[in-house]
Amino acid sequence: MPQLLEGKTALVTGVANKWSIAYAIAQAFVREGAQVILTYQSDRQKVTVEELAHSLKIERVLPCDVTQDAELEQLRQNLKGVVLHSVVHAIAFANREDLTQPFAETSRAGFALALDVSAYSFVALARATRAACNPADRGGASLMTLTYLGAMRVVENYNVMGVAKAALESSVRYLAADLGPANIRVNAISAGPIKTVSARGIRDFSKLERAVKLSPLRRNTDPAEVADTAVFLASDLGRGVTGNVLYVDAGFQIIGLALPD
Ligand code: NAP
């Protein structure tokens, strides 16, 4: 069977462990024949990410803390001579207290931190990888990020992360408009709740997972199906899609009101 990403190279950020959505994406990209490069945030994570890369037969692992301009510049330098066809941004962070206390209590610093790491970093990453992206291919280059329904609707306890995701989704549209003439596509995947380290920071996350039984497909979101959507966006099959938020959430986002049993 032909592989969808044969001959393509992808940079995947945000792999923390085997449960990370980015790990599922890297796995699917490798399955489809892509050369994958992973990044890690700090030396604390270096060995773990190198081991995970090894398990996927990925050879290249680069440092990149997205809050540090010097590291983004270093990433740009490290990518010299590499032709990238896709970039996956799977990074978010907010202080734990901002995901537990009422939203109105969010501090200025907590708000700025969540927006910096979870939204601005996508813009910064797009800039750092711009020179390496190869728009000559038929499908162009494809940048993608991960978002959540809390950008559009109020989801209890998602708080400042919802505001950050709203900024991220808007950034997707502005980046798509900026980079489209160079045949670089920019999209977001809005995933349903998946139990990961980041997700555990959200109070009562397990209740969010239980709520998905109201979704049309009556089930949770599997990281592998999020990853397959990322494959579609990275492949030439997605060549006409830009500036979009694609929901991979078992259809949960269409439900207005489901009556309790
Ligand atoms: P995860 O495994 O905890 O991944 C989050 C990643 O962000 C980690 O690898 C973390 O690195 C990285 N990160 C945080 N700050 C960073 C920084 N300054 N520089 C570089 N990397 C940094 O959780 P995940 O659920 O897979 O999250 C991936 C993305 O999916 C996030 O944008 C999240 O909001 C989104 N998403 C998740 C869900 C869900 O239910 N899980 C649903 C929709 C969207 P360290 O481990 O080194 O800190």
Side-chain angles (χ1 to χ4, degrees):
M1 217 167 86
Q3 292 172 298
L4 289 169
L5 301 179
E6 218 172 308
K8 294 193 188 289
T9 302
L11 181 81
V12 178
T13 67
V15 172
N17 52 47
K18 283 200 169 180
W19 292 273
S20 296
I21 296 173
Y23 182 80
I25 293 174
Q27 204 170 25
F29 278 18
V30 169
R31 181 195 73 214
E32 294 300 333
Q35 296 283 336
V36 175
I37 302 169
L38 300 182
T39 67
Y40 59 89
Q41 182 189 175
S42 66
D43 284 346
R44 184 177 51 86
Q45 278 295 95
K46 184 171 186 248
V47 174
T48 309
V49 177
E50 279 174 349
E51 283 169 5
L52 292 168
H54 186 69
S55 73
L56 294 175
K57 298 189 170 56
I58 291 170
E59 284 169 10
R60 204 143 181 223
V61 175
L62 298 172
C64 184
D65 178 337
V66 291
T67 61
Q68 304 300 317
D69 285 338
E71 293 208 13
L72 285 157
E73 173 55 23
Q74 191 56 51
L75 178 69
R76 200 176 68 79
Q77 298 289 344
N78 284 333
L79 290 172
K80 275 194 175 149
V82 175
V83 173
L84 279 184
H85 302 87
S86 63
V87 177
V88 177
H89 172 273
I91 290 171
F93 184 79
N95 286 328
R96 187 171 278 262
E97 70 258 28
D98 291 327
L99 301 173
T100 47
Q101 66 192 0
F103 174 66
E105 299 300 323
T106 310
S107 66
R108 190 185 299 272
F111 190 98
L113 176 70
L115 273 278
D116 184 23
V117 180
S118 317
Y120 177 72
S121 65
F122 188 44
V123 181
L125 189 66
R127 207 166 49 243
T129 55
R130 174 68 186 84
C133 282
N134 173 27
D137 264 36
R138 188 171 72 119
S142 172
L143 313 188
M144 67 193 85
T145 185
L146 273 301
T147 185
Y148 178 60
L149 182 65
M152 303 299 292
R153 313 258 168 82
V154 173
V155 174
E156 213 172 316
N157 298 326
Y158 204 60
N159 298 0
V160 71
M161 191 53 79
V163 178
K165 292 299 192 193
L168 179 68
E169 292 184 12
S170 187
S171 301
V172 164
R173 293 184 281 275
Y174 278 93
L175 285 171
D178 261 9
L179 302 175
N183 204 15
I184 299 175
R185 297 179 286 110
V186 188
N187 293 286
I189 299 173
S190 185
I194 295 170
K195 208 172 270 163
T196 62
V197 171
S198 294
R200 281 174 214 270
I202 298 158
R203 193 173 64 171
D204 290 336
F205 181 79
S206 54
K207 286 190 190 163
L208 271 187
E209 279 196 306
R210 288 208 297 279
V212 299
K213 69 170 189 255
L214 305 172
S215 70
L217 297 182
R218 302 284 194 277
R219 62 170 175 79
N220 281 316
T221 301
D222 177 356
E225 59 203 10
V226 175
D228 285 343
T229 302
V231 167
F232 160 73
L233 287 173
S235 77
D236 291 353
L237 297 179
R239 65 191 176 280
V241 182
T242 194
N244 273 288
V245 177
L246 278 76
Y247 285 84
V248 183
D249 67 344
F252 187 79
Q253 95 286 355
I254 67 165
I255 302 298
L257 178 66
L259 299 177
D261 292 335

